[in-house]
Amino acid sequence: MSIVVAIDGPAGSGKGTITGIVSKKLGLVNIDTGAMYRCVALATIQNNITLEEKDKIIELAKNIKIEFDSEGKVYLDGVDVSKRIREKDVSSIVSPLSSIVEVREEMVNQQRALAKGFDIIMEGRDITTVVFPDADYKFYLDASFEERAKRRFLQNQEQGIEMSLEEIKENIEKRDYNDMHKEVGALKRTEDQIYIDSTNLTIDEVADIVIQTIKEK
Ligand code: DC
Protein backbone atom coordinates (compact mmCIF):
# COMPACT_ATOMS: atom_id res chain seq x y z
CA MET A 1 0.00 0.00 0.00
CA SER A 2 1.38 3.39 -0.89
CA ILE A 3 1.36 6.37 1.48
CA VAL A 4 -0.60 9.53 0.69
CA VAL A 5 0.10 12.82 2.49
CA ALA A 6 -2.44 15.52 1.53
CA ILE A 7 -1.92 19.23 2.23
CA ASP A 8 -4.44 21.98 1.53
CA GLY A 9 -4.31 25.69 2.27
CA PRO A 10 -4.69 29.16 0.75
CA ALA A 11 -2.26 30.95 -1.59
CA GLY A 12 1.03 31.82 0.09
CA SER A 13 0.50 29.57 3.12
CA GLY A 14 3.81 27.83 2.44
CA LYS A 15 2.49 24.57 1.02
CA GLY A 16 4.99 24.47 -1.84
CA THR A 17 8.02 25.11 0.37
CA ILE A 18 6.90 22.63 3.03
CA THR A 19 6.03 19.83 0.62
CA GLY A 20 9.41 20.36 -1.08
CA ILE A 21 11.27 19.84 2.20
CA VAL A 22 9.09 17.00 3.52
CA SER A 23 9.17 15.11 0.22
CA LYS A 24 12.98 15.15 0.17
CA LYS A 25 13.34 14.17 3.84
CA LEU A 26 10.83 11.32 3.67
CA GLY A 27 11.44 10.22 0.08
CA LEU A 28 7.93 11.03 -1.17
CA VAL A 29 6.96 12.02 -4.72
CA ASN A 30 5.87 15.67 -4.63
CA ILE A 31 2.84 16.71 -6.70
CA ASP A 32 1.91 20.42 -6.84
CA THR A 33 -1.68 20.45 -8.11
CA GLY A 34 -1.81 24.27 -8.28
CA ALA A 35 0.93 24.02 -10.93
CA MET A 36 -1.37 21.77 -12.96
CA TYR A 37 -4.20 24.35 -12.97
CA ARG A 38 -1.57 26.98 -13.79
CA CYS A 39 -0.49 24.91 -16.82
CA VAL A 40 -4.08 24.87 -18.10
CA ALA A 41 -4.19 28.66 -17.57
CA LEU A 42 -0.92 29.15 -19.46
CA ALA A 43 -2.10 26.97 -22.35
CA THR A 44 -5.31 29.04 -22.43
CA ILE A 45 -3.27 32.24 -22.79
CA GLN A 46 -0.92 30.74 -25.37
CA ASN A 47 -3.88 29.65 -27.51
CA ASN A 48 -5.60 33.07 -27.26
CA ILE A 49 -8.63 31.49 -25.58
CA THR A 50 -10.72 33.68 -23.27
CA LEU A 51 -12.23 32.63 -19.93
CA GLU A 52 -15.69 32.77 -21.53
CA GLU A 53 -14.75 30.01 -24.01
CA LYS A 54 -15.31 27.21 -21.51
CA ASP A 55 -15.60 24.37 -24.03
CA LYS A 56 -12.24 25.25 -25.56
CA ILE A 57 -10.60 25.36 -22.10
CA ILE A 58 -12.08 21.95 -21.20
CA GLU A 59 -10.79 20.53 -24.50
CA LEU A 60 -7.33 21.99 -23.79
CA ALA A 61 -7.27 20.55 -20.26
CA LYS A 62 -7.88 17.10 -21.73
CA ASN A 63 -5.22 17.40 -24.42
CA ILE A 64 -2.20 19.09 -22.85
CA LYS A 65 0.54 17.01 -21.25
CA ILE A 66 1.59 18.05 -17.74
CA GLU A 67 4.67 16.43 -16.21
CA PHE A 68 6.88 16.89 -13.14
CA ASP A 69 10.51 15.91 -12.71
CA SER A 70 12.18 14.75 -9.50
CA GLU A 71 13.34 18.33 -8.72
CA GLY A 72 9.75 19.59 -8.84
CA LYS A 73 10.07 21.30 -12.24
CA VAL A 74 6.86 21.47 -14.26
CA TYR A 75 6.64 20.73 -17.99
CA LEU A 76 3.80 21.72 -20.30
CA ASP A 77 3.90 19.67 -23.51
CA GLY A 78 7.59 19.01 -22.88
CA VAL A 79 8.60 22.62 -22.14
CA ASP A 80 9.84 23.69 -18.67
CA VAL A 81 7.27 26.29 -17.55
CA SER A 82 8.14 26.27 -13.82
CA LYS A 83 8.78 29.99 -13.71
CA ARG A 84 6.39 31.09 -16.48
CA ILE A 85 3.33 29.71 -14.66
CA ARG A 86 4.01 32.01 -11.67
CA GLU A 87 3.73 35.20 -13.77
CA LYS A 88 0.97 37.78 -13.30
CA ASP A 89 -1.16 36.87 -16.35
CA VAL A 90 -1.40 33.24 -15.30
CA SER A 91 -2.02 34.10 -11.61
CA SER A 92 -4.88 36.39 -12.55
CA ILE A 93 -6.92 33.80 -14.50
CA VAL A 94 -6.03 30.53 -12.76
CA SER A 95 -8.60 30.72 -9.97
CA PRO A 96 -11.70 31.41 -12.13
CA LEU A 97 -10.44 28.83 -14.62
CA SER A 98 -10.10 26.27 -11.83
CA SER A 99 -13.79 26.80 -11.02
CA ILE A 100 -14.81 25.13 -14.29
CA VAL A 101 -16.19 21.81 -13.06
CA GLU A 102 -15.06 19.78 -16.10
CA VAL A 103 -11.51 21.16 -15.81
CA ARG A 104 -11.48 20.04 -12.16
CA GLU A 105 -12.74 16.55 -13.10
CA GLU A 106 -9.93 16.20 -15.62
CA MET A 107 -7.25 17.46 -13.21
CA VAL A 108 -8.50 15.27 -10.34
CA ASN A 109 -8.33 12.21 -12.62
CA GLN A 110 -4.80 13.13 -13.70
CA GLN A 111 -3.76 13.74 -10.07
CA ARG A 112 -5.00 10.31 -8.98
CA ALA A 113 -3.26 8.71 -11.97
CA LEU A 114 0.05 10.48 -11.19
CA ALA A 115 -0.10 9.18 -7.60
CA LYS A 116 -0.81 5.56 -8.46
CA GLY A 117 1.81 3.18 -7.09
CA PHE A 118 3.92 5.87 -5.39
CA ASP A 119 4.34 7.20 -1.86
CA ILE A 120 3.28 10.80 -2.41
CA ILE A 121 2.81 14.22 -0.87
CA MET A 122 0.24 16.27 -2.78
CA GLU A 123 -0.70 19.90 -2.14
CA GLY A 124 -3.58 22.07 -3.32
CA ARG A 125 -7.07 23.16 -2.26
CA ASP A 126 -9.18 19.99 -2.48
CA ILE A 127 -6.67 17.21 -1.88
CA THR A 128 -7.87 16.34 1.64
CA THR A 129 -11.53 16.60 0.65
CA VAL A 130 -11.94 15.48 -2.99
CA VAL A 131 -8.79 14.01 -4.52
CA PHE A 132 -7.76 11.83 -1.56
CA PRO A 133 -10.41 12.06 1.18
CA ASP A 134 -8.97 8.81 2.59
CA ALA A 135 -5.36 10.05 2.62
CA ASP A 136 -3.17 8.62 5.41
CA TYR A 137 -2.30 12.14 6.62
CA LYS A 138 -4.28 15.32 6.05
CA PHE A 139 -3.01 18.81 6.82
CA TYR A 140 -4.44 22.32 6.44
CA LEU A 141 -1.66 24.88 6.29
CA ASP A 142 -2.59 28.48 7.02
CA ALA A 143 -1.06 31.91 7.77
CA SER A 144 -2.38 35.45 8.14
CA PHE A 145 -3.24 37.37 4.97
CA GLU A 146 -0.41 39.91 5.49
CA GLU A 147 2.15 37.17 6.07
CA ARG A 148 1.05 35.20 3.02
CA ALA A 149 1.26 38.28 0.78
CA LYS A 150 4.74 39.08 2.14
CA ARG A 151 5.96 35.53 1.55
CA ARG A 152 4.65 35.48 -2.04
CA PHE A 153 6.28 38.89 -2.68
CA LEU A 154 9.70 37.65 -1.46
CA GLN A 155 9.33 34.37 -3.37
CA ASN A 156 8.53 36.26 -6.59
CA GLN A 157 11.52 38.55 -6.06
CA GLU A 158 13.82 35.54 -5.67
CA GLN A 159 12.47 34.13 -8.93
CA GLY A 160 12.69 37.46 -10.75
CA ILE A 161 8.90 37.75 -11.17
CA GLU A 162 7.75 41.40 -11.26
CA MET A 163 4.69 42.00 -9.07
CA SER A 164 4.26 44.74 -6.47
CA LEU A 165 3.12 43.90 -2.93
CA GLU A 166 -0.16 45.70 -3.67
CA GLU A 167 -0.76 43.61 -6.80
CA ILE A 168 -0.02 40.44 -4.87
CA LYS A 169 -2.42 41.41 -2.08
CA GLU A 170 -5.16 42.11 -4.60
CA ASN A 171 -4.51 38.82 -6.40
CA ILE A 172 -4.43 36.74 -3.21
CA GLU A 173 -7.58 38.38 -1.86
CA LYS A 174 -9.51 37.61 -5.05
CA ARG A 175 -8.18 34.05 -5.22
CA ASP A 176 -8.92 33.37 -1.54
CA TYR A 177 -12.53 34.38 -2.06
CA ASN A 178 -12.91 32.42 -5.28
CA ASP A 179 -11.05 29.33 -4.01
CA MET A 180 -13.26 29.17 -0.90
CA HIS A 181 -16.54 29.67 -2.75
CA LYS A 182 -16.22 27.21 -5.63
CA GLU A 183 -19.19 25.06 -6.48
CA VAL A 184 -16.89 22.01 -6.59
CA GLY A 185 -13.49 21.56 -4.93
CA ALA A 186 -13.66 24.61 -2.66
CA LEU A 187 -10.91 25.08 -0.08
CA LYS A 188 -12.42 23.94 3.23
CA ARG A 189 -11.37 23.23 6.76
CA THR A 190 -12.58 19.89 8.13
CA GLU A 191 -12.42 18.12 11.50
CA ASP A 192 -10.02 15.46 10.30
CA GLN A 193 -7.31 17.81 8.98
CA ILE A 194 -4.36 18.70 11.19
CA TYR A 195 -4.47 22.51 11.22
CA ILE A 196 -1.17 24.40 11.27
CA ASP A 197 -1.04 28.19 11.53
CA SER A 198 2.45 29.04 10.28
CA THR A 199 2.22 32.83 10.73
CA ASN A 200 4.76 32.87 13.55
CA LEU A 201 6.65 29.69 12.71
CA THR A 202 9.81 29.24 10.66
CA ILE A 203 9.84 26.98 7.60
CA ASP A 204 11.85 24.38 9.52
CA GLU A 205 9.42 24.44 12.43
CA VAL A 206 6.46 23.79 10.13
CA ALA A 207 8.32 21.05 8.24
CA ASP A 208 9.22 19.42 11.59
CA ILE A 209 5.58 19.38 12.73
CA VAL A 210 4.55 17.67 9.50
CA ILE A 211 7.43 15.16 9.62
CA GLN A 212 6.91 14.33 13.32
CA THR A 213 3.18 13.83 12.79
CA ILE A 214 3.86 11.43 9.94
CA LYS A 215 6.51 9.52 11.89
CA GLU A 216 4.37 9.24 15.03
CA LYS A 217 1.15 8.05 13.46
O1 DC B 1 -1.38 26.66 -5.18
P1 DC B 1 -1.40 27.73 -6.29
O2 DC B 1 -1.54 29.11 -5.75
O3 DC B 1 -0.29 27.58 -7.26
O4 DC B 1 -2.75 27.39 -7.10
C1 DC B 1 -3.18 28.15 -8.21
C2 DC B 1 -4.70 28.15 -8.31
O5 DC B 1 -5.16 26.85 -8.68
C3 DC B 1 -5.44 28.51 -7.03
O6 DC B 1 -5.84 29.87 -7.02
C4 DC B 1 -6.63 27.62 -7.00
C5 DC B 1 -6.35 26.53 -7.99
N1 DC B 1 -6.22 25.22 -7.37
C6 DC B 1 -7.37 24.48 -7.20
O7 DC B 1 -8.46 24.97 -7.51
N2 DC B 1 -7.29 23.22 -6.70
C7 DC B 1 -6.11 22.70 -6.34
N3 DC B 1 -6.06 21.44 -5.87
C8 DC B 1 -4.93 23.46 -6.48
C9 DC B 1 -5.03 24.73 -6.99
Side-chain angles (χ1 to χ4, degrees), residues 78-91:
V79 178
D80 179 0
V81 293
S82 313
K83 185 179 162 203
R84 178 67 186 89
I85 57 169
R86 309 280 156 201
E87 301 271 356
K88 200 182 334 184
D89 54 349
V90 172
S91 297

Side-chain angles (χ1 to χ4, degrees), residues 19-192:
T19 50
I21 296 171
V22 175
S23 65
K24 282 199 187 87
K25 288 210 171 150
L26 299 182
L28 304 169
V29 173
N30 182 5
I31 304 170
D32 171 1
T33 63
M36 298 174 72
Y37 289 97
R38 286 173 182 273
C39 280
V40 181
L42 177 57
T44 300
I45 294 166
Q46 287 172 338
N47 286 278
N48 295 316
I49 296 170
T50 65
L51 274 179
E52 286 68 45
E53 297 176 292
K54 271 190 175 184
D55 290 347
K56 287 189 183 170
I57 300 177
I58 295 163
E59 221 17 62
L60 253 192
K62 289 183 179 161
N63 289 308
I64 56 175
K65 193 163 175 49
I66 304 168
E67 294 163 299
F68 294 93
D69 70 12
S70 57
E71 287 162 29
K73 286 202 181 123
V74 193
Y75 298 82
L76 170 59
D77 292 329
V79 178
D80 179 0
V81 293
S82 313
K83 185 179 162 203
R84 178 67 186 89
I85 57 169
R86 309 280 156 201
E87 301 271 356
K88 200 182 334 184
D89 54 349
V90 172
S91 297
S92 65
I93 65 160
V94 65
S95 186
L97 177 147
S98 71
S99 301
I100 302 172
V101 174
E102 295 87 344
V103 170
R104 299 204 70 80
E105 279 170 5
E106 179 61 29
M107 289 302 110
V108 169
N109 286 338
Q110 291 194 20
Q111 287 152 15
R112 291 183 182 144
L114 280 171
K116 229 181 184 129
F118 295 100
D119 291 333
I120 62 139
I121 184 164
M122 186 178 279
E123 54 124 326
R125 305 290 188 290
D126 61 341
I127 313 306
T128 60
T129 53
V130 176
V131 185
F132 288 115
D134 298 324
D136 302 277
Y137 308 93
K138 301 205 229 179
F139 295 90
Y140 187 106
L141 194 54
D142 209 353
S144 71
F145 174 71
E146 289 293 328
E147 178 66 20
R148 292 190 283 120
K150 200 174 82 191
R151 286 180 190 171
R152 188 47 55 86
F153 178 69
L154 293 174
Q155 196 179 32
N156 281 359
Q157 279 199 324
E158 270 169 27
Q159 295 181 358
I161 296 169
E162 292 277 328
M163 255 172 109
S164 70
L165 186 59
E166 274 319 304
E167 279 176 314
I168 289 174
K169 281 188 178 171
E170 203 181 306
N171 176 258
I172 289 188
E173 196 169 22
K174 273 195 196 141
R175 286 205 289 141
D176 275 358
Y177 183 85
N178 195 58
D179 291 343
M180 289 174 187
H181 292 85
K182 274 174 198 153
E183 185 190 340
V184 176
L187 174 65
K188 274 188 211 137
R189 277 182 64 184
T190 59
E191 289 284 326
D192 59 357

